[in-house]
Amino acid sequence: MDDKNQTINCTVESCKYHNCNHNVCELKQIEVQACPDCSDGRPQDESMCGSYSCKCHK
């Protein structure tokens, strides 16, 4: 698989991987997951970030 070096634009400021100055995710690779038991085709239910980690937790 080719490495595309894509940028993940993100506005979730509570995540420890969020760069507030540029609204980008600084994690090298993210996992996209659906909400548990969701298969309705709605983007907000089936495209959440599974790599989220709160800045409040170490």
Side-chain angles (χ1 to χ4, degrees):
M1 184 164 99
D2 292 335
D3 184 6
K4 303 285 185 186
N5 295 322
Q6 294 182 352
T7 300
I8 306 299
N9 296 314
C10 181
T11 58
V12 181
E13 295 183 10
S14 62
C15 182
K16 75 176 184 177
Y17 302 113
H18 177 72
N19 178 322
C20 293
N21 296 323
H22 301 287
N23 278 336
V24 296
C25 180
E26 293 187 333
L27 188 63
K28 188 170 186 170
Q29 176 179 328
I30 68 166
E31 180 179 345
V32 177
Q33 299 175 336
C35 294
D37 301 318
C38 287
S39 59
D40 57 16
R42 293 170 31 144
Q44 62 269 34
D45 292 339
E46 296 199 33
S47 59
M48 64 182 271
C49 179
S51 303
Y52 173 86
S53 183
C54 184
K55 285 182 180 177
C56 302
H57 303 135
K58 302 244 178 201

